[in-house]
Amino acid sequence: MPSGILRRGLLVALSLSAGLFGCASTERRPAVPFELSTQANVVGFPAGIRYFPRDATDVREFERDFLASNEAEKKFLGVDELPPNSFLAISGGGDNGAFGAGLLNGWTKAGTRPEFKLVTGVSTGALIAPFAFLGPAYDERLKALYTGISMRDVAEERSLLSVLYNDALADNAPLRKLVKKSVTQEMVDAIAAEHDKGRVLLVATTNLDVRRPVIWNITEIAATRLPGALDLVHKILIASAAIPGTFPPVMIDVEAGGRRYQEMHVDGGTASQVFVYPSAVKLHELFQRDRTLYMIRNARMDPEWAQVDRRTLPISLRAITCLIHNQGIGDLYRIYSIARRDHIRFQLVYIPSTFQTPHPAEFDTAYMRDLFALGEKMAVEGHEWYEHPPVLLSGVDDEEGGGGR
């Protein structure tokens, strides 16, 4: 998270709450009324390209689509019983996504990387997910995305005064340009081909109007082969990484009840730092199969110590980073519980406490290259995956602060 931009944003917010400034809002179409929010469809696209995981009807739709993917997989493989499979969940983490990118590259070099039945991503994990889904042939593109950029390739800071009349502290036009350059029509066509084989790629955003997560089925979007599919995928990826207040939200035109509205989508990490599938889906009861879940946490587990100045802004900033850190750990426990319930083998990897490269600024190229190299080295050398989240009990944790292996 760009701390300098965030710091200025908090200052503005505090000033506004004190009544020191007035500002006009940026224009938008009306939001979808609450009672229609789970019935809205993206303009120009059929229903069934996304799920609202807290809605019972949508949970059933996810189950239906997942079962359909299994049938497609059987047809592609020419079998009656499906073999063991693997899932991959990639967390948020900003420029720490270089760790996940390096790990995937090293995993390929080690020769042990599976082809994943299901890949999910949030925030920076959403940007990694299409490359991870399409496999080793896209490793070099993924490497370039996380070792050859800097902050100027992600955002342009706006003036303090303009912030009062805009929807974010920074303009993410550079990120939009980068995503459009990196995620091509050829990639969307390749994702559509994998859909026909029964594979699934999911990305999460947050609908800020109703404060609910939205899971987008990128494989279903690609499989529509509609002219606007590439543009919609770009919007979803940018939205999943749109830190509220720091980067502009992504506005998506939808239809509901015979009228057009606009949804405001932001960083999926505001709802959860990582996800696999809706928790209400009891996968083992739905379809029994040997499964392994690999989770890449693009963050550390150990606490980051710092003496906090006794002033409003530093205290607020520290509290937000503390909230994000602990939310991410809580997500791991939630998913671990679901994996145990559904008889899925749980495997976790994260940035170790031994990584000490200085991090002078967000999207610092040298930092990202070192982190990429660490992830790659860990995978090549066969770093063991943790079989459960950190225990967080004195005398029980292992030397890295993680769970048992």
Side-chain angles (χ1 to χ4, degrees), residues 150-158 167-181 238 242 246-250:
S150 64
M151 191 62 185
R152 67 173 177 269
D153 300 300
V154 177
E156 294 175 352
E157 199 166 343
R158 292 170 172 168
D167 54 5
L169 300 161
D171 185 350
N172 63 352
L175 178 62
R176 295 197 302 271
K177 182 178 179 181
L178 182 63
V179 169
K180 289 179 180 179
K181 177 183 176 181
I238 294 165
T246 299
F247 295 145
V250 173

Side-chain angles (χ1 to χ4, degrees), residues 122 205-208 242-244 266-273 327:
V122 174
T205 64
T206 300
N207 181 334
L208 206 56
I243 302 167
V266 298
D267 192 339
T270 60
S272 63
Q273 295 292 308
Q327 177 204 25

Side-chain angles (χ1 to χ4, degrees), residues 75-92:
K75 182 178 179 181
F76 173 73
L77 295 175
V79 298
D80 293 325
E81 292 189 12
L82 290 172
N85 66 356
S86 299
F87 298 166
L88 175 67
I90 313 169
S91 83

Side-chain angles (χ1 to χ4, degrees), residues 184-220:
T184 63
Q185 184 63 55
E186 171 258 337
M187 285 183 68
V188 172
D189 291 342
I191 291 169
E194 295 306 309
H195 168 274
D196 297 340
K197 300 175 185 178
R199 299 180 64 217
V200 182
L201 171 61
L202 305 176
V203 166
T205 64
T206 300
N207 181 334
L208 206 56
D209 293 317
V210 289
R211 297 193 299 183
R212 283 179 173 174
V214 179
I215 297 176
W216 298 83
N217 192 325
I218 303 299
T219 32
E220 289 287 352

Side-chain angles (χ1 to χ4, degrees), residues 354-369:
T354 52
F355 181 69
Q356 296 296 329
T357 295
H359 195 187
E362 299 299 325
F363 295 95
D364 177 75
T365 306
Y367 172 83
M368 294 174 70
R369 287 176 178 170

Side-chain angles (χ1 to χ4, degrees), residues 312-330:
T312 302
L313 198 55
I315 292 170
S316 300
L317 281 167
R318 189 66 172 177
I320 291 172
T321 57
C322 180
L323 176 65
I324 293 170
H325 178 81
N326 286 289
Q327 177 204 25
I329 293 176

Side-chain angles (χ1 to χ4, degrees), residues 22-34:
C23 63
S25 60
T26 303
E27 292 295 323
R28 61 165 292 182
R29 287 178 182 266
V32 183
F34 177 77

